[in-house]
Amino acid sequence: MTLSRERVDDLPQQSGEPTSFTGTTHIQSVVSSEGPVAVARVTFEKGARTFWHVHSGEQVLYFLEGRGRVQVRGEQPVDASEGDIVRIPAGVEHWHGAHPEEEHRMRHLAITFGRVTWLDPVSDEDYRAG
């Protein structure tokens, strides 16, 4: 068996789809999404966020850089910063992205179990609330 070593900055990146993200996002797959678990480093530029969505399994967000925000539908948003871990249970509608007051970018590692179902965009009002 041979080990493989890569630098995360050298991983290919793709832009977030406009049917799933508002604003500019960059996604780098760390672990293939074809298995039961997907791991990706996601960069959200200023004002960027996901649409509302739900996962069939748990999602864990590990915040690496900048300030972020996560919200469960019907609840108050939760702010997060470097070193924070946010756990979203399976079947819970939520969104996440750069904090509305973050002047630069926010990065997190998204560890996702199961499939994602994309829903509606997060309104500017919901994004800035809290």
Side-chain angles (χ1 to χ4, degrees), residues 8-69:
V8 70
D9 289 332
D10 294 334
L11 292 175
Q13 72 179 8
Q14 62 185 36
S15 296
E17 293 292 329
T19 55
S20 308
F21 293 86
T22 298
T24 303
T25 57
H26 308 285
I27 303 164
Q28 294 170 286
S29 181
V30 177
V31 175
S32 172
S33 61
E34 294 176 21
V37 123
V39 179
R41 182 174 82 163
V42 186
T43 302
F44 295 81
E45 299 298 336
K46 182 178 178 174
R49 59 203 181 261
T50 67
F51 280 24
W52 290 101
H53 61 285
V54 63
H55 300 279
S56 61
E58 179 183 34
Q59 184 176 48
V60 178
L61 305 174
Y62 172 41
F63 288 80
L64 303 169
E65 180 182 337
R67 291 184 302 157
R69 180 168 276 180

